[in-house]
């Protein structure tokens, strides 16, 4: 059998859609390259044409992968790779493999046994734009799409507020269109899709974006559907710490 014949076959692409609603203010920084006198210190990511805030797919992917790696117990400074799969104990090996199958392996991996065993990255994260109806309502009422929150640091000894700063964030209640694609290869079981749903539930339990420890970035998924079929009731029952089996 040739190597080409051994490569996994793509059999389907599953699409998960939902409304991503902010329960608390969200800040995903834009990394300003210029200083503005009297301006906001920390601005949010905005679409270059509409100037409306959005959630980059990379932010969702990075946080979801990080949470799943922490859950696996194999987390380290860099994303897990094929060598970590080989070195992992029997108790976590199956979970590490699912993470690599979903998110992919590093670019320096050889296109040999690693790709035949893991296959290509299954997940494609899309940028989340503001829901058109929510944005229209806000603009129609002459309201702002973002808010500015004043913050400072408290001197533990004197009790005096120091280093005031202004942070921009998207307010609680904002709604975004969420979409995620999952490639399905021959031999893939339901455990990969289950891990995806568990990862989304971990996002709900933790936070997205910056300053999560200060209450920012609490989100929830509403109206979740898989290939157009309503699965919100099933998603509400997902237990992210009930590990999937190999």
């Amino acid at each position: 059998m040739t190597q080409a014949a051994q490569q996994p076959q793509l059999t389907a692409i599953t699409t998960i859609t939902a409304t991503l609603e902010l329960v608390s203010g969200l800040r995903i920084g834009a990394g300003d390259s210029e200083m503005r006198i009297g301006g906001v210190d920390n601005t949010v990511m905005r679409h270059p044409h509409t100037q409306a805030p959005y959630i980059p797919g990379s932010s969702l992917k990075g946080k979801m992968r990080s949470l799943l790696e922490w859950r696996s117990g194999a987390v380290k400074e860099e994303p897990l790779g094929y060598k970590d799969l080989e070195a992992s104990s029997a108790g976590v090996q199956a979970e590490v493999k699912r993470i690599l199958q979903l998110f992919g392996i590093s670019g320096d991996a050889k296109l040999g046994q690693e790709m035949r065993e893991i296959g290509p990255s299954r997940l494609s994260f899309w940028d989340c734009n503001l829901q058109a109806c929510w944005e229209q309502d806000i603009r129609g009422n002459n309201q702002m799409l973002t808010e500015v929150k004043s913050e400072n640091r408290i001197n533990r000894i004197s009790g005096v507020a120091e280093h005031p700063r202004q942070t921009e964030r998207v307010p609680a209640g904002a709604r975004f269109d969420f979409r995620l694609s999952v490639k399905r290869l021959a031999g893939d079981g339901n455990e990969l899709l289950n891990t995806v749903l568990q990862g989304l539930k971990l996002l709900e339990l933790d936070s997205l974006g910056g300053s999560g420890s200060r209450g920012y970035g609490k989100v929830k998924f509403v109206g979740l559907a898989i290939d157009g079929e309503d699965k919100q009731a099933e998603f509400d029952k997902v237990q992210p710490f009930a590990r999937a089996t190999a």
Side-chain angles (χ1 to χ4, degrees):
M1 181 179 295
T2 64
Q3 180 173 332
Q6 297 174 19
Q7 299 302 327
Q9 179 185 10
L10 178 66
T11 60
I13 297 179
T14 296
T15 301
I16 300 176
T17 56
T19 293
L20 191 158
E21 183 174 331
L22 302 188
V23 180
S24 66
L26 171 71
R27 175 178 144 68
I28 297 178
D32 285 348
S33 59
E34 59 181 277
M35 297 292 291
R36 301 178 179 87
I37 297 176
V40 177
D41 299 305
N42 304 304
T43 57
V44 300
M45 187 76 72
R46 293 176 180 273
H47 191 283
H49 296 156
T50 66
Q51 293 301 303
Y54 72 99
I55 301 174
S58 57
S59 297
L60 289 160
K61 178 181 179 180
K63 187 56 183 285
M64 183 170 155
R65 178 169 189 164
S66 174
L67 289 170
L68 287 170
E69 290 188 359
W70 271 104
R71 188 187 70 161
S72 75
V75 67
K76 59 179 190 177
E77 290 186 9
E78 299 296 329
L80 297 178
Y82 190 77
K83 292 182 179 179
D84 301 298
L85 173 63
E86 294 180 314
S88 58
S89 63
V92 301
Q93 193 171 61
E95 188 165 5
V96 171
K97 183 177 180 179
R98 284 191 289 272
I99 292 172
L100 298 184
Q101 288 174 318
L102 289 171
F103 294 92
I105 53 182
S106 60
D108 60 356
K110 297 179 180 178
L111 296 178
Q113 178 60 31
E114 296 94 332
M115 285 301 294
R116 286 194 292 274
E117 183 175 348
I118 301 300
S121 171
R122 307 300 200 276
L123 295 183
S124 296
F125 288 81
W126 302 74
D127 290 346
C128 298
N129 295 315
L130 283 172
Q131 271 192 352
C133 58
W134 187 87
E135 182 177 354
Q136 290 170 3
D137 287 344
I138 295 299
R139 293 185 185 275
N141 291 325
N142 293 319
Q143 295 177 303
M144 303 295 291
L145 297 177
T146 62
E147 62 183 359
V148 176
K149 185 174 181 291
S150 297
E151 299 179 338
N152 53 53
R153 183 177 70 86
I154 302 298
N155 186 302
R156 269 41 171 193
I157 304 301
S158 66
V160 175
E162 302 174 337
H163 308 297
R165 59 190 180 275
Q166 290 186 316
T167 299
E168 185 181 35
R169 64 181 191 172
V170 187
R175 298 192 299 271
F176 295 83
D177 290 321
F178 173 83
R179 181 182 176 188
L180 175 65
S181 297
V182 187
K183 299 181 183 70
R184 300 185 72 105
L185 303 184
D188 285 351
N190 290 330
E191 67 274 5
L192 284 179
L193 183 58
N194 292 338
T195 300
V196 173
L197 296 177
Q198 290 173 349
L200 295 178
K201 184 61 70 171
L202 287 172
L203 277 174
E204 285 192 338
L205 294 175
D206 195 74
S207 63
L208 181 64
S211 302
S213 64
R214 299 205 298 271
Y216 287 39
K218 180 72 172 175
V219 304
K220 66 177 180 179
F221 294 96
V222 180
L224 186 139
I226 299 178
D227 288 335
E229 184 177 353
D230 184 4
K231 295 292 184 180
Q232 184 64 44
E234 289 88 337
F235 178 69
D236 290 338
K237 298 176 183 178
V238 169
Q239 299 295 324
F241 295 100
R243 304 295 183 86
T245 57

